[in-house]
Amino acid sequence: MNTKPESEGQDVAWVTIETPFDGGHLKDFLGDIERLYRINSLTEFEEWRNNGNGKYLFRAKNLSNGKNVETGLDVAVSESGVNVSYSSGLKTATRFRIEPNADGLASLVITDDYGGTPAEVRKSRIDEVDKSLEQWGRDIHRYLHQWKRWSWLPGWRWYMRRVWQPMKPSARRISFMIIMITLAEFVMFLFVFLIFWLELDKFMD
């Protein structure tokens, strides 16, 4: 995954994500805008509203800069990906571009564009710059690889969409810890049961 952070004098920041899917699968993935944004572990959503015709509204806290965000989204789909324009805030647009690779798979390039905001305004409001892009790229990379690996498992897709997706980032971390602890306890139970069974078998002999 390659990143290019925004710095003074620049008006864009981007991240390139290597994915396990081809362009067609990636385009389907980009079709679910809410999921795409909720994958970001540095965004804590309070409201997501679908207003129809490619228009959305969300309220959230950006954990990367501590700022509250409330903005409308205007989504335009193209052959190469998706463009999202924001009705308010320092960032004016985010572009999701699909880039086919020589191996038949595709990369996803996410670009945050601040160009619609004058340079002097960006400088005076530098604390509002979204610093979550790199982490968002990591989150999407992990999500896509997990989807590729586990989507065949019955109930897994339902869990990711209906349970995991609406969770706040902190709740996801807690649920992951609980699952890991439960699995560890189950493995320990099997280990103890195996020892008991072997010892019982010796005793019976």
Side-chain angles (χ1 to χ4, degrees):
M1 184 178 68
N2 301 315
T3 62
K4 177 65 176 179
E6 186 196 30
S7 59
E8 188 174 354
Q10 295 178 320
D11 58 6
V12 297
W14 70 86
V15 58
T16 302
I17 306 162
E18 301 297 329
T19 83
F21 295 108
D22 59 24
H25 282 86
L26 267 188
K27 193 169 184 179
D28 290 341
F29 171 72
L30 294 178
D32 189 339
I33 295 297
E34 180 178 0
R35 174 176 61 177
L36 191 60
Y37 276 79
R38 283 187 180 272
I39 287 173
N40 190 339
S41 61
L42 291 179
T43 302
E44 190 173 274
F45 282 88
E46 296 179 10
E47 180 183 7
W48 177 278
R49 186 191 310 161
N50 185 345
N51 292 327
N53 297 319
K55 298 184 183 300
Y56 303 85
L57 182 137
F58 80 76
R59 294 188 302 113
K61 182 172 184 179
N62 187 327
L63 301 179
S64 74
N65 58 20
K67 300 295 183 179
N68 293 319
V69 180
E70 181 172 353
T71 184
L73 280 67
D74 193 348
V75 179
V77 179
S78 67
E79 285 300 316
S80 60
V82 174
N83 296 325
V84 180
S85 300
Y86 303 107
S87 62
S88 62
L90 193 65
K91 181 166 55 178
T92 53
T94 298
R95 296 186 292 273
F96 303 89
R97 187 175 74 255
I98 300 170
E99 291 189 346
N101 297 329
D103 59 3
L105 301 179
S107 299
L108 178 62
V109 182
I110 306 177
T111 303
D112 279 344
D113 190 348
Y114 295 82
T117 304
E120 60 273 14
V121 175
R122 296 201 307 271
K123 187 174 181 180
S124 65
R125 297 167 57 187
I126 193 68
D127 60 325
E128 296 180 34
V129 170
D130 185 359
K131 302 180 180 68
S132 73
L133 181 60
E134 187 173 349
Q135 182 59 49
W136 193 10
R138 292 195 191 99
D139 293 335
I140 290 177
H141 180 269
R142 181 170 55 251
Y143 186 97
L144 289 173
H145 280 267
Q146 288 179 344
W147 192 268
K148 177 74 172 180
R149 183 176 183 181
W150 298 111
S151 61
W152 61 270
L153 190 66
W156 192 86
R157 294 189 182 202
W158 178 89
Y159 170 81
M160 292 300 291
R161 288 184 178 276
R162 303 299 182 184
V163 180
W164 182 89
Q165 185 171 306
M167 285 182 177
K168 291 184 177 181
S170 57
R172 293 173 185 171
R173 291 192 291 269
I174 292 171
S175 64
F176 177 78
M177 291 175 59
I178 292 174
I179 290 172
M180 290 299 100
I181 291 172
T182 303
L183 287 175
E185 290 177 343
F186 182 68
V187 170
M188 182 61 68
F189 168 78
L190 290 179
F191 180 71
V192 172
F193 180 79
L194 178 61
I195 293 176
F196 173 78
W197 183 262
L198 292 174
E199 292 298 322
L200 180 62
D201 189 55
K202 291 178 181 179
F203 178 78
M204 294 297 292
D205 288 343

